[in-house]
Amino acid sequence: SAIVAQVVPVLIEGKDVQHAWLGISGTTLNPQINEKMGLPADQRGVLVVEVTKGSPADKANLQGSTKDVTIDGLPMKVGGDVIISINGAPVRQFDDLLLYLTYNAKVGDKVTLTLLRDGKNEDVTVELMDRPDASQWDRLFAAQESQP
């Protein structure tokens, strides 16, 4: 109902609904990922697996995963930044990050992500953009594929 309360007035005004976008794909840490990354078994957070070129995360220099491993017989990438908080709110799993962006952030906001990078905490400021629509995705991916 909170989302409806935000969206309906925008639609009534005839405007497009914007969604705050970070520009990553990621996964919730678990003991198997932690082991492969040399992290404590109980480390919580969101592993940044991939950063979309031209996205807010890319502009803030977030680092995606670079190392290929096998976990439970499945290929997986590890080694990227781990997001452990957004604006001081703990990020224990991917849903924590998504819910924060949905309920507490809007396009143009600057948020502070606390990352675990190379074994140290680091704060990074990211200015959120509007999530691309289908035609914009096509341009983003075409640009990404043409880059070395």
Side-chain angles (χ1 to χ4, degrees):
S1 65
I3 293 174
V4 172
Q6 291 174 348
V7 170
V8 170
V10 173
L11 294 174
I12 289 172
E13 290 179 21
K15 296 180 183 176
D16 289 332
V17 176
Q18 294 185 323
H19 302 279
W21 179 60
L22 189 55
I24 66 163
S25 64
T27 189
T28 300
L29 288 181
N30 63 43
Q32 295 89 352
I33 294 171
N34 293 353
E35 180 182 348
K36 296 288 186 178
M37 290 183 59
L39 298 172
D42 63 348
Q43 177 66 53
R44 307 296 281 166
V46 170
L47 171 63
V48 177
V49 175
E50 206 170 319
V51 176
T52 302
K53 189 163 183 65
S55 70
D58 183 38
K59 291 176 183 177
N61 296 314
L62 266 68
Q63 299 173 7
S65 298
T66 57
K67 183 178 175 187
D68 293 311
V69 297
T70 301
I71 297 177
D72 293 332
L74 299 172
M76 171 97 190
K77 285 196 170 285
V78 298
D81 289 333
V82 175
I83 300 170
I84 57 175
S85 76
I86 181 169
N87 283 348
V91 173
R92 293 180 184 91
Q93 58 187 2
F94 199 84
D95 283 350
D96 295 337
L97 183 61
L98 290 178
L99 290 171
Y100 188 94
L101 291 171
T102 300
Y103 291 111
N104 301 303
K106 61 184 182 305
V107 173
D109 283 354
K110 290 183 180 178
V111 296
T112 300
L113 299 176
T114 301
L115 308 174
L116 181 58
R117 178 182 282 172
D118 299 324
K120 298 176 188 164
N121 287 3
E122 183 175 324
D123 287 339
V124 175
T125 301
V126 181
E127 185 171 350
L128 301 172
M129 295 170 50
D130 188 22
R131 185 175 61 211
D133 65 19
S135 65
Q136 292 167 319
W137 275 116
D138 291 342
R139 285 194 302 273
L140 278 171
F141 285 119
Q144 222 167 345
E145 289 174 359
S146 67
Q147 298 295 319

